[in-house]
Amino acid sequence: MSGDIHVRFCEGVGVRFPRPTRLVMGFQYRDDAERLRVALEKRLREFSLELHSEKTRLIEFGRLPALRRQRLGQRRPSTFAFLGLTHYCGWTRDGRFVCKQRTQSTRLSRKLREVKVEARRRMHRPVAEQHRWLTSVLRGHYRYYGLPGNSKALASFRNQVSQIWYRSLRRRSQRGLLWLAYNEILRRLPLLPARVDGCEKAHPVGCERSFRDGVS
């Protein structure tokens, strides 16, 4: 980046500003990132707006910072959360840099709480109907978070959903539900296994092509 920095917004009469959003920008040089931040803060003040002080940060991220830290024996660059995923610097088995993603822990916890509440509400519905609902939940989760390198988080989500279903079914009867009986239900109505659908199909965030160098 060189020359003047221009930050433009919708300024037409009657144009509404969008809801607060999250933005990730990548720069090769730290000076460019700092200049843009100053320009952006200045522009926002003209509309009585400001950047969120706790959610706006400048971090090293990418292949070159990761290599430099690796040579110095330091920890890898900081992670950042975006679109429900935690992004972090990683390496393939053959030594190539790759931007990896895993399910953001807060998003995972929130989703499991929602599933627990809904499972309790559907507790007395037919078992086959509950299974169809859980299948749709798992399928949607896999499609969004099914990225390479995120298989452990997917498997963890499936296991916890299975436990939620077991506890929900157990409450249906005063005698409870034994694991043996629950395993028989799973044999007839299995839950979808964790599945990685591939980077481009599963999520709009790029994998290796994004954040290859520099600072973001």
Side-chain angles (χ1 to χ4, degrees), residues 73-195:
Q74 299 176 348
R75 298 181 60 182
R76 63 188 180 191
S78 301
T79 64
F80 68 92
F82 187 62
L83 298 177
L85 294 161
T86 297
H87 297 68
Y88 62 99
C89 295
W91 307 93
T92 61
R93 293 182 179 179
D94 58 358
R96 293 182 294 109
F97 171 81
V98 62
C99 172
K100 295 186 176 182
Q101 296 97 4
R102 60 174 179 266
T103 309
Q104 189 178 351
S105 59
T106 54
R107 290 288 187 93
L108 182 62
S109 299
R110 185 174 66 187
K111 184 61 179 180
L112 288 171
R113 288 195 297 269
E114 293 174 357
V115 172
K116 183 177 180 180
V117 171
E118 185 64 17
R120 185 68 178 270
R121 191 182 72 82
R122 296 171 179 257
M123 181 173 58
H124 296 291
R125 303 299 298 173
V127 174
E129 180 180 323
Q130 295 184 42
H131 176 261
R132 286 194 297 270
W133 165 65
L134 289 173
T135 298
S136 67
V137 170
L138 291 172
R139 182 180 293 112
H141 188 84
Y142 297 159
R143 285 179 176 175
Y144 190 86
Y145 295 102
L147 295 173
N150 198 32
S151 56
K152 289 184 178 180
L154 298 181
S156 175
F157 179 77
R158 180 187 181 276
N159 291 337
Q160 293 185 69
V161 167
S162 179
Q163 294 177 17
I164 290 173
W165 195 24
Y166 169 70
R167 289 193 292 267
S168 176
L169 294 175
R170 187 179 176 86
R171 294 191 183 97
R172 285 162 56 110
S173 172
Q174 293 181 351
R175 293 180 297 177
L177 177 70
L178 298 178
W179 272 107
L180 185 63
Y182 180 60
N183 287 332
E184 178 60 24
I185 293 176
L186 291 179
R187 187 187 66 80
R188 293 185 291 105
L189 300 171
L191 295 175
L192 282 178
R195 183 181 62 192

Side-chain angles (χ1 to χ4, degrees), residues 9 17 20-21 37-56:
F9 296 90
F17 285 101
T21 186
R37 178 170 180 171
V38 171
L40 185 58
E41 290 176 342
K42 180 180 179 181
R43 187 59 170 159
L44 288 174
R45 282 197 297 269
E46 296 180 10
F47 299 92
S48 300
L49 300 173
E50 61 181 8
L51 296 174
H52 197 294
S53 59
E54 297 181 0
K55 297 182 179 180
T56 303

Side-chain angles (χ1 to χ4, degrees), residues 5-21:
I5 299 175
H6 298 281
V7 182
R8 300 186 64 184
F9 296 90
C10 297
E11 302 174 16
V13 178
V15 176
R16 289 188 176 183
F17 285 101
R19 296 179 60 187
T21 186

